[in-house]
Amino acid sequence: MDQLELFDLPNPCIGVCQSNSRGYCMGCLRSRDERFNWHQKPVEERARILKLLAQRRARLNAKTKKDHDAPQSGESLDLF
């Protein structure tokens, strides 16, 4: 028995359920194929998808932080 079989992997859905222009859910960051029949997918596939979601979330957070930290047009840099 694999260790993954001992734990129920959570459904990453947070109830937002809106797709962005690339087809990924804006709430859980899954593609349509990744969302479809989540509970029927093998445990290994769900675990792989959860790892992908963590990577997507990290990239999104880094992009958001970069965009937030960049000075806006007309905004002066805080030098002190």
Side-chain angles (χ1 to χ4, degrees):
M1 180 183 291
D2 281 340
Q3 186 174 3
L4 287 176
E5 294 174 8
L6 298 175
F7 303 100
D8 186 34
L9 297 177
N11 185 337
C13 179
I14 61 169
V16 172
C17 304
Q18 292 180 349
S19 294
N20 66 14
S21 61
R22 297 180 63 197
Y24 290 92
C25 176
M26 293 169 59
C28 67
L29 304 179
R30 291 182 290 174
S31 68
R32 183 175 190 268
D33 289 337
E34 292 167 345
R35 292 188 311 262
F36 190 68
N37 290 327
W38 174 260
H39 293 290
Q40 283 75 39
K41 291 186 184 304
V43 172
E44 295 82 10
E45 186 175 357
R46 287 187 277 156
R48 180 187 62 79
I49 292 169
L50 289 173
K51 285 181 184 179
L52 287 173
L53 298 181
Q55 293 170 354
R56 290 176 193 158
R57 180 71 60 198
R59 282 195 308 268
L60 181 64
N61 288 343
K63 182 184 181 317
T64 302
K65 182 178 179 348
K66 178 183 167 193
D67 291 347
H68 177 43
D69 290 347
Q72 300 298 317
S73 177
E75 182 180 327
S76 63
L77 293 174
D78 184 12
L79 301 176
F80 302 100

